[in-house]
Amino acid sequence: MPVIGIDLGTSNTCVGVVLDGRPQVILDEKGRSTLPSVMALNRRGQFFVGHLAKAQMSINPTGTIHSAKRLLGQKYSGRDVQRLIPELPFEISQLPDDSPGIKLGDNVLTPTEVSAAVLKKVKVLAENALNEPITNAVISVPAHFDNFQRRETKHAAEIAGLEVSRLINEPTAAALAYGYGANTPGMIAVFDFGGGTFDISILEIGDGIYNVLATGGDTFLGGNDFNNAVAHWAAERFNNKYHFNPMNDIAAHQRLLDASEYVKILLSTQEKAQLTLQQVLPDIDPSWDLDETLTRSQLETLCAPLVERALTICQQTFDSANISIADINDIIMVGGMTRMPLVRRRVTEWFGRAPNTTINPDEAVGIGAAIQAMALDSIQDNMVLLLDVLPLTLSIEAAGGVCIPVIAKNTKIPHHVSRIFTTSRDNQNSVTISIYQGEGHHISENSRLSTFELTGIRQAPRMTPRIEVSFSIDVNGILSVTAIDLDSHQSQSIEIVDLTAKALDVLESEPVVQPE
Ligand code: ADP
Ligand code: MG
């Protein structure tokens, strides 16, 4: 039974497999290699996932969920979710455990459940294509995903009926797709510009060993921002003409974003495109149409600052890793936005060399996940060894809210480390261990992963008990922390809070959606 590899993307999901030593993506019945990571509910109360869900998004913006990956493993009260709420057309509420709940009709779904529905869809797709049941998968995650986000990805797979053989970092997967079957040692950069996020990674490849040297990125920089830039440009013209801003109307806003994305994609292959939208606000004035010509060079002017932001992140990542651009042997382009000519041109200028164009930017990560799946599945000599690094520093809170680093950012994983801590008061019989993730020196700058209490510490003057705290990160990048009092042998480990998620009954065949 083959193990599949899945690129569970924010915008699109791709599934790959290695058959007879040949890595390939699994195409759907219409020959498409990716599936929109979109879920919707129709008027008959049926859930559906994929192309049709995306196609009806502009007429059903509040009943269509996209970008669920951006909410996965996040706290509702956290900065990222708060920043996302105004951007997303569907309603997000706070669940009792502070995870975000997504409203879909009368249902409130967790991002995990939505991701599970997408995974279930590609599982069935793979089963139909391969004519075999599929029970295991390697799933890729962004390199910057923290513990919670990784755990929820695994959890989503479980709900979908898939056991996760391994989580693999997206840039590592892309590098695997690049390095497979070729003898290409050296240092490469993976430039991944997707729908919602930008990531840059520097890897070293040699003798089947893939070593991530550094990663950087921005989780709020992606194709959506390009769509937004075009939509704002068009909205301003519309507003000048009719004195009404279509961005202030939920339905018009979503339709405008869709049309903007369409025009943006057209302008990757043509010099000029027409942004047309009929009856932008049918219930105000049905004669208000939008019809504007946008040229590639106008699009480039609108979007140049976004591309420059990505390059600034590249600069910072190279600087902080102390790597010179001249040492890079190849640049792998991943993600739909790297198809934009401006992006390719600026990457070429910035790196001083043309990027590699032999790898399909939509398929590289799914193919790489499939190669990893094959490697785990076989005990042959085509085994590839992966070394990944910790994306953010892990630390423990000490007196005064100071973060004491335990494992530094960019440490290779799997990794195990123990440190001895002590008490700050006489006869202190318990200690609270709070684990933080991030580069700040104070807890207010970092995000808290977990807190637990170690009780039963031997009565002793301050500074004398010896409490050993061990951090173990497994191959999937999942952390477990144990604290033990070396005198009383009392010990305690992090409790993993399980967010209960229910499996959704998703239609396997897509229903025809009735237009509103
Ligand atoms: P993710 O990793 O977030 O799932 P993808 O790698 O699938 O995302 O990239 C999706 C983004 O790429 C979208 O914003 C989409 O508009 C954009 N995109 C896809 N094809 C093109 C193209 N030919 N030209 C410009 N942008 C494109
Ligand atoms: Mg992606």
Side-chain angles (χ1 to χ4, degrees):
M1 191 200 302
V3 179
I4 53 172
I6 304 175
D7 168 13
L8 176 63
T10 308
S11 323
N12 295 296
T13 294
C14 178
V15 53
V17 69
V18 180
L19 294 177
D20 301 326
R22 216 168 57 82
Q24 51 204 271
V25 294
I26 297 176
L27 304 178
D28 70 5
E29 65 293 347
K30 292 194 175 153
R32 297 171 292 207
S33 65
T34 61
L35 178 93
S37 310
V38 179
M39 180 176 189
L41 182 70
N42 69 9
R43 285 193 295 173
R44 295 198 188 124
Q46 297 162 308
F47 292 113
F48 54 113
V49 171
H51 293 281
L52 278 178
K54 179 163 185 187
Q56 56 85 70
M57 185 155 80
S58 63
I59 54 163
N60 182 20
T62 53
T64 311
I65 302 173
H66 63 84
S67 307
K69 183 176 173 181
R70 311 194 64 181
L71 301 166
L72 193 66
Q74 302 263 19
K75 293 274 170 239
Y76 175 87
S77 57
R79 208 173 16 180
D80 279 4
V81 173
Q82 288 305 312
R83 206 172 145 185
L84 270 173
I85 287 174
E87 277 183 28
L88 297 174
F90 42 85
E91 212 178 299
I92 297 170
S93 58
Q94 185 174 28
L95 298 178
D97 63 357
D98 197 28
S99 62
I102 308 171
K103 193 165 181 299
L104 189 58
D106 297 330
N107 310 273
V108 176
L109 308 179
T110 62
T112 311
E113 289 166 336
V114 178
S115 303
V118 175
L119 289 171
K120 176 100 182 287
K121 181 94 185 171
V122 292
K123 173 185 191 276
V124 172
L125 179 75
E127 286 174 334
N128 290 343
L130 302 172
N131 225 343
E132 274 189 90
I134 302 286
T135 55
N136 287 69
V138 167
I139 302 182
S140 59
V141 290
H144 62 258
F145 253 26
D146 67 18
N147 227 34
F148 291 115
Q149 294 167 303
R150 285 169 198 266
R151 221 168 53 203
E152 285 315 303
T153 305
K154 284 186 92 173
H155 194 184
E158 280 160 25
I159 298 171
L162 285 169
E163 190 184 320
V164 176
S165 306
R166 175 81 58 100
L167 295 176
I168 180 174
N169 283 339
E170 288 167 6
T172 313
L176 274 180
Y178 164 80
Y180 184 76
N183 187 19
T184 43
M187 222 190 272
I188 62 163
V190 176
F191 187 97
D192 182 350
F193 218 160
T197 62
F198 169 69
D199 289 289
I200 176 77
S201 314
I202 307 160
L203 293 94
E204 200 172 27
I205 308 182
D207 286 337
I209 298 178
Y210 292 73
N211 188 8
V212 182
L213 300 175
T215 65
D218 186 338
T219 50
F220 280 86
L221 178 61
N224 294 338
D225 299 297
F226 290 68
N227 305 346
N228 245 319
V230 174
H232 273 112
W233 170 84
E236 197 182 306
R237 299 193 157 216
F238 184 90
N239 197 10
N240 286 343
K241 202 162 164 189
Y242 301 115
H243 310 290
F244 191 99
N245 188 346
M247 304 292 259
N248 296 335
D249 178 272
I250 286 195
H253 185 184
Q254 188 59 48
R255 284 172 64 214
L256 188 51
L257 286 176
D258 273 12
S260 300
E261 177 168 35
Y262 183 71
V263 162
K264 173 192 76 177
I265 292 175
L266 282 182
L267 290 173
S268 288
T269 48
Q270 56 197 55
E271 289 293 336
K272 212 192 257 182
Q274 208 61 19
L275 204 169
T276 47
L277 210 54
Q278 278 166 7
Q279 302 198 339
V280 178
L281 294 146
D283 42 1
I284 298 181
D285 188 334
S287 74
W288 290 356
D289 294 342
L290 184 70
D291 188 18
E292 298 287 346
T293 309
L294 187 65
T295 64
R296 185 186 289 175
S297 91
Q298 277 174 303
L299 174 75
E300 293 187 347
T301 308
L302 290 172
C303 300
L306 299 169
V307 180
E308 295 315 307
R309 263 171 68 194
L311 294 173
T312 304
I313 294 163
C314 289
Q315 186 71 57
Q316 287 160 352
T317 307
F318 275 83
D319 288 350
S320 70
N322 223 341
I323 294 169
S324 156
I325 299 166
D327 295 337
I328 296 295
N329 300 107
D330 224 337
I331 307 144
I332 315 299
M333 301 289 256
V334 178
M337 278 319 301
T338 64
R339 293 187 185 276
M340 184 177 186
L342 172 69
V343 174
R344 294 191 168 243
R345 208 167 63 232
R346 287 295 294 129
V347 165
T348 304
E349 285 164 6
W350 195 83
F351 281 93
R353 63 159 66 225
N356 184 308
T357 48
T358 57
I359 313 262
N360 183 322
D362 300 317
E363 300 174 1
V365 175
I367 294 268
I371 293 169
Q372 171 71 80
M374 181 262 321
L376 290 172
D377 212 28
S378 57
I379 27 164
Q380 304 162 14
D381 48 353
N382 53 6
M383 195 78 173
V384 269
L385 176 64
L386 298 173
L387 293 172
D388 259 322
V389 294
L390 186 68
L392 298 163
T393 299
L394 293 171
S395 54
I396 277 192
E397 178 183 0
V402 174
C403 284
I404 309 279
V406 178
I407 308 183
K409 174 184 167 147
N410 287 335
T411 298
K412 291 193 181 88
I413 57 174
H415 189 76
H416 178 90
V417 68
S418 297
R419 287 189 62 160
I420 307 289
F421 290 85
T422 188
T423 51
S424 56
R425 281 179 283 112
D426 289 339
N427 297 327
Q428 186 174 335
N429 61 8
S430 74
V431 287
T432 301
I433 312 237
S434 291
I435 301 128
Y436 283 81
Q437 193 165 38
E439 306 317 305
H441 299 296
H442 192 268
I443 56 167
S444 60
E445 301 161 74
N446 294 333
S447 62
R448 197 180 71 197
L449 282 182
S450 191
T451 292
F452 64 96
E453 194 124 1
L454 178 65
T455 54
I457 293 171
R458 181 176 60 90
Q459 296 269 320
R462 64 189 283 266
M463 308 289 276
T464 50
R466 291 172 308 142
I467 298 154
E468 184 185 77
V469 180
S470 306
F471 279 55
S472 293
I473 307 176
D474 72 8
V475 286
N476 293 321
I478 290 180
L479 168 76
S480 47
V481 179
T482 304
I484 178 165
D485 175 355
L486 294 177
D487 302 314
S488 71
H489 296 288
Q490 290 285 339
S491 75
Q492 188 69 49
S493 299
I494 301 186
E495 255 175 49
I496 292 175
V497 194
D498 197 40
L499 304 164
T500 47
K502 55 186 185 296
L504 289 167
D505 191 19
V506 173
L507 293 175
E508 302 310 356
S509 58
E510 294 176 314
V512 177
V513 190
Q514 309 284 326
E516 295 293 312

